[in-house]
């Protein structure tokens, strides 16, 4: 499986590095322009156009990169390269898992690189006289480590969950109309599955309203935990309820989301092994 | 002699169209078998089922006694009828991929084949002509010491010089311990290397047997028998 990941990475890294270079150049340009605008107070027509174009290119690049990364799986199903991939001595699960790990690495890697670069830009263009240790001390007083860890795990899970739904949708689209290439069909299936899973997760959390408080490890209903909360439902409908000082997760809907992710993963592997005809 | 391939009652349907109709076929170890038939006769469907790219509608297919899966893919060296290598690769990358995934890949043999085919390791895949693609693909496939080679139209769409080179490469590199299945409708060119022939027409086996026995029995070359069978 790791051997396959190696070739998956080698096939995509040039595009990813190109995207990263483009994004970092645009971000640098934006910071430089905003800094100059802040000092002179002038907004030139060229500067305004540059900013507008840059933001549009950034959004366009983000979308293109997303489609490029998830499209790697689609290419196996619809292009001749599938004749190589699906005749390698690998199971469907190994192929899906490799694609999943590499796509997650790219999404996380790009996110972290762009995030860190933004911090660097802020440090250059708006330097604050604070030592790093002081900054971390201040931050740890405000944000609990558990909450940060939870956010990271939750973020990674969201990416994996979304990718699995996309892969399953693509495989299902290929099986449903095996000899026809219908553009965007996978996206329609993806939307339907996402809505379905989200609705079920919400219903489950209504029927089984027991939450785990990540700060105190207490389990109870929201009333019993007595928190002020606001509801944030992410794209995968993981029922996460957070306040400024704590985070809770609905136990039943979280188990449901994990179980469906595993099932969709196995389902995609099954479709590759038993159903897809090239 | 033990069979490397055992096919019982194999049927493949695409919606209502029957591509293979209740095929029964055994292929003995050490034989070179030609699956002959015109376009649309079911040759590629049969090959793709053996390679694990298509699922049968019904029937049983065994390679080396095992159902199609990871094991059979590890012992089958398959040449599709199209360019299947990743486009970003150089020839060297393709070789490394084969080395990584197939323990039976022989790098020395591959180098000899490359040299015979007049190809260089640093050539980019997407810059190769159709004929060069065919030669590279065949070099990769033949460089494996596999139990079963499956070649789908290995000389289809290439010029006569490349055609001769490809046939020579098959003859020179074929391992007698192995078996080989070749599909083709260019019978005259391939006839000399076939031990057995299977004539496939509209998804049915209409004639099968030893190439030599058929030639003797009918007093004709396989190419002429082919014309007789499919020329009606």
């Amino acid at each position: 499986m790791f051997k396959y990941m190696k070739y998956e990475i080698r096939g995509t890294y040039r595009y990813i590095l190109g995207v990263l270079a483009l994004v970092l150049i645009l971000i640098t340009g934006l910071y430089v322009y905003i800094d100059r605008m802040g000092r002179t107070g002038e907004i030139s027509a060229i500067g305004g156009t540059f900013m507008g174009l840059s933001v549009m290119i950034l959004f366009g690049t983000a979308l293109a990169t997303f489609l490029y990364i998830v499209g790697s799986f689609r290419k196996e199903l619809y292009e001749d390269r599938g004749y190589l991939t699906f005749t390698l001595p690998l199971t469907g699960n190994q192929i899906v898992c490799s694609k999943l790990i590499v796509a997650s690495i790219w999404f996380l890697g790009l996110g972290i690189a762009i995030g860190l670069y933004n911090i660097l830009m802020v440090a250059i263009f708006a330097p604050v006289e604070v030592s790093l240790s002081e900054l971390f001390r201040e931050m740890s007083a405000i944000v609990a480590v558990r909450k940060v860890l939870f956010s990271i795990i939750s973020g990674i899970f969201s990416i994996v969950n979304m990718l699995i739904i996309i892969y399953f949708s693509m495989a299902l689209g290929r099986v449903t109309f095996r000899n026809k290439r219908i553009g965007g069909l996978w996206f329609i299936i993806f939307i339907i599955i996402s809505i379905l899973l989200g609705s079920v997760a919400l219903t489950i959390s209504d029927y089984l309203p027991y939450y785990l408080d990540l700060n105190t490890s207490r389990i109870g209903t929201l009333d019993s935990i007595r928190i002020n909360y606001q509801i944030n439902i992410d794209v995968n409908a993981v029922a996460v309820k957070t306040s400024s000082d704590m985070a809770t997760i609905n136990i039943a809907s979280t188990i449901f989301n994990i179980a469906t992710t595993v099932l969709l993963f196995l389902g995609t592997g099954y479709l590759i092994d038993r159903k897809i005809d090239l | 002699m033990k069979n490397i391939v055992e096919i019982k009652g194999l049927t493949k349907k695409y919606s209502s169209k029957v591509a293979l109709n209740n095929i029964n076929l055994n292929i003995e170890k050490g034989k070179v078998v030609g699956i002959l038939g015109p376009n649309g006769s079911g040759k590629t469907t049969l090959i793709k089922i053996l390679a694990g790219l298509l699922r049968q509608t019904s029937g049983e297919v065994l390679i080396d006694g095992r159902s199609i899966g990871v094991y059979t893919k590890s012992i089958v060296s398959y040449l599709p009828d199209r360019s299947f290598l990743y486009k970003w690769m150089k020839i060297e990358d393709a070789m490394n991929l084969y080395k990584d995934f197939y323990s039976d890949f022989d790098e020395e043999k591959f180098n000899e084949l490359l040299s015979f085919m007049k190809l260089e390791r640093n050539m980019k895949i997407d810059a190769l002509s159709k004929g060069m693609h065919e030669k590279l693909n065949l070099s990769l496939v033949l460089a494996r010491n596999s139990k079963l080679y499956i070649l789908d139209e290995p000389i289809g769409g290439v010029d006569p010089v490349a055609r001769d080179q490809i046939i020579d490469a098959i003859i020179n590199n074929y391992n007698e311990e192995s078996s080989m299945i070749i599909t083709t409708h260019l019978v005259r060119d391939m006839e000399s290397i076939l031990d057995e022939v299977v004539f496939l027409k509209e998804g049915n086996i209409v004639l099968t047997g030893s190439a030599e026995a058929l030639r003797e029995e009918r007093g004709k070359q396989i190419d002429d028998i082919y014309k007789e069978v499919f020329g009606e």
Side-chain angles (χ1 to χ4, degrees):
Chain A
M1 192 179 89
F2 292 106
K3 287 174 187 168
Y4 184 67
M5 279 171 60
K6 184 173 80 179
Y7 289 94
E8 186 68 11
I9 289 171
R10 289 192 64 191
T12 46
Y13 84 97
R14 284 192 189 93
Y15 178 88
I16 300 293
L17 288 183
V19 162
L20 190 60
L22 175 69
V23 169
L24 297 189
I25 289 166
L26 286 174
I27 288 174
T28 310
L30 283 173
Y31 274 101
V32 169
Y33 180 71
I34 290 166
D35 179 59
R36 204 169 67 183
M37 198 176 69
R39 279 187 278 116
T40 60
E42 288 173 13
I43 305 171
S44 69
I46 296 172
T49 310
F50 166 72
M51 276 188 72
L53 274 177
S54 297
V55 172
M56 278 167 63
I57 292 170
L58 284 174
F59 275 112
T61 308
L63 182 66
T65 306
F66 174 78
L67 291 175
Y68 179 81
I69 293 172
V70 299
S72 161
F73 184 67
R74 193 165 184 273
K75 282 180 189 167
E76 307 294 355
L77 301 175
Y78 288 97
E79 295 182 6
D80 290 345
R81 58 182 283 164
Y83 281 73
L84 176 59
T85 304
F86 296 130
T87 52
L88 293 173
L90 293 170
T91 61
N93 285 345
Q94 286 173 319
I95 293 170
V96 179
C97 191
S98 305
K99 296 261 178 203
L100 194 64
I101 291 171
V102 173
S104 302
I105 289 172
W106 287 143
F107 283 130
L108 287 171
L110 281 172
I112 290 167
I114 292 167
L116 288 177
Y117 194 74
N118 269 294
I119 293 171
L120 179 72
M121 288 290 104
V122 170
I124 291 170
F125 290 103
V128 184
E129 297 290 324
V130 181
S131 72
L132 275 178
S133 58
E134 201 178 320
L135 186 69
F136 279 116
R137 202 166 45 246
E138 291 284 330
M139 277 179 66
S140 60
I142 301 167
V143 187
V145 177
R146 278 186 181 197
K147 195 170 166 182
V148 173
L149 272 177
F150 167 72
S151 301
I152 292 169
I153 293 168
S154 167
I156 293 171
F157 178 77
S158 297
I159 291 172
V160 170
N161 179 276
M162 178 187 66
L163 285 169
I164 275 295
I165 298 175
I166 289 172
Y167 290 167
F168 181 78
S169 306
M170 287 175 171
L172 194 63
R174 183 70 167 89
V175 171
T176 312
F177 299 96
R178 64 180 53 154
N179 293 319
K180 294 189 179 106
R181 186 175 178 159
I182 302 173
L185 176 68
W186 72 266
F187 190 69
I188 295 167
I189 298 173
F190 168 70
I191 297 287
I192 293 169
I193 293 175
S194 299
I195 291 171
L196 213 69
L197 293 181
S199 309
V200 175
L202 275 179
T203 310
I204 287 174
S205 67
D206 283 343
Y207 278 101
L208 297 164
Y210 297 100
Y211 292 79
L212 172 68
D213 182 340
L214 293 168
N215 283 336
T216 61
S217 299
R218 278 178 57 200
I219 294 172
T221 61
L222 282 176
D223 287 339
S224 71
I225 295 173
R226 288 184 186 175
I227 55 166
N228 293 323
Y229 65 88
Q230 62 186 66
I231 299 172
N232 293 324
I233 301 166
D234 71 10
V235 69
N236 306 303
V238 178
V240 178
K241 298 170 190 277
T242 63
S243 72
S244 61
D245 59 348
M246 65 192 312
T248 63
I249 55 168
N250 181 273
I251 297 166
S253 64
T254 302
I255 291 170
F256 171 77
N257 284 323
I258 293 170
T260 50
T261 302
V262 172
L263 284 176
L264 288 174
F265 170 78
L266 296 174
T268 312
Y270 172 81
L271 290 176
I272 290 174
D273 285 335
R274 302 284 176 86
K275 295 290 173 193
I276 287 171
D277 283 349
L278 288 191
Chain B
M1 194 178 283
K2 202 184 167 207
N3 295 322
I4 184 77
V5 176
E6 291 173 311
I7 299 172
K8 287 177 200 155
L10 174 64
T11 296
K12 175 66 184 176
K13 290 180 185 170
Y14 296 106
S15 303
S16 58
K17 187 181 180 294
V18 180
L20 292 173
N21 185 25
N22 195 28
I23 298 281
N24 292 292
L25 180 67
N26 289 331
I27 295 174
E28 287 177 10
K29 279 185 178 170
K31 299 281 185 186
V32 180
V33 178
I35 309 281
L36 312 177
N39 294 331
S41 57
K43 302 187 301 286
T44 296
T45 299
L46 175 60
I47 291 297
K48 282 164 87 173
I49 289 172
L50 292 170
L53 292 172
L54 282 179
R55 263 37 65 166
Q56 67 262 42
T57 308
S58 62
E60 187 182 42
V61 180
L62 300 176
I63 296 178
D64 202 25
R66 308 268 285 270
S67 298
I68 307 300
V70 173
Y71 171 73
T72 64
K73 288 177 184 178
S74 74
I75 62 158
V76 169
S77 196
Y78 168 58
L79 177 78
D81 60 346
R82 59 194 70 206
S83 305
F84 59 99
L85 296 166
Y86 304 149
K87 289 185 174 63
W88 58 266
M89 286 179 156
K90 287 183 176 176
I91 288 180
E92 182 150 25
D93 297 315
M95 181 198 74
N96 287 330
L97 183 137
Y98 267 66
K99 263 171 72 180
D100 277 342
F101 282 99
Y102 302 109
S103 56
D104 57 15
F105 186 80
D106 183 340
E107 189 174 346
E108 205 173 307
K109 197 170 164 188
F110 179 70
N111 287 333
E112 284 167 16
L113 280 157
L114 271 195
S115 158
F116 178 72
M117 302 289 195
K118 296 184 176 58
L119 294 170
E120 306 275 337
R121 275 188 180 210
N122 60 359
M123 287 175 166
K124 292 196 77 177
I125 302 270
D126 62 357
L128 300 180
S129 67
K130 184 174 168 50
M132 289 162 104
H133 262 290
E134 290 280 357
K135 290 177 189 174
L136 169 62
N137 295 345
L138 189 74
S139 301
L140 288 163
V141 167
L142 291 178
R144 288 183 59 194
N145 295 310
S146 304
K147 286 189 174 180
L148 177 64
Y149 297 89
I150 299 179
L151 314 181
D152 194 3
E153 302 283 0
I155 54 170
V158 295
D159 64 70
V161 177
R163 194 173 289 180
D164 288 345
Q165 255 184 318
I166 287 173
I167 292 169
D168 286 346
I170 293 171
I171 293 168
N172 296 336
N173 291 278
Y174 170 63
N175 171 0
E176 295 204 349
E177 298 289 303
S178 310
S179 310
M180 188 177 276
I181 299 173
I182 304 175
T183 70
T184 188
H185 56 270
L186 301 166
V187 184
R188 188 186 295 267
D189 296 296
M190 302 296 290
E191 182 170 345
S192 60
I193 61 173
L194 304 178
D195 296 320
E196 309 266 341
V197 286
V198 176
F199 289 81
L200 211 53
K201 188 178 186 181
E202 292 167 1
N204 295 287
I205 294 177
V206 290
L207 183 64
T208 182
S210 146
E212 195 52 49
L214 281 172
R215 273 190 287 260
E216 274 181 29
E217 185 187 309
R218 303 201 173 203
K220 290 175 182 171
Q221 296 298 301
I222 298 296
D223 187 42
D224 296 320
I225 301 172
Y226 179 94
K227 285 172 188 161
E228 191 180 282
V229 171
F230 298 108
E232 293 163 358

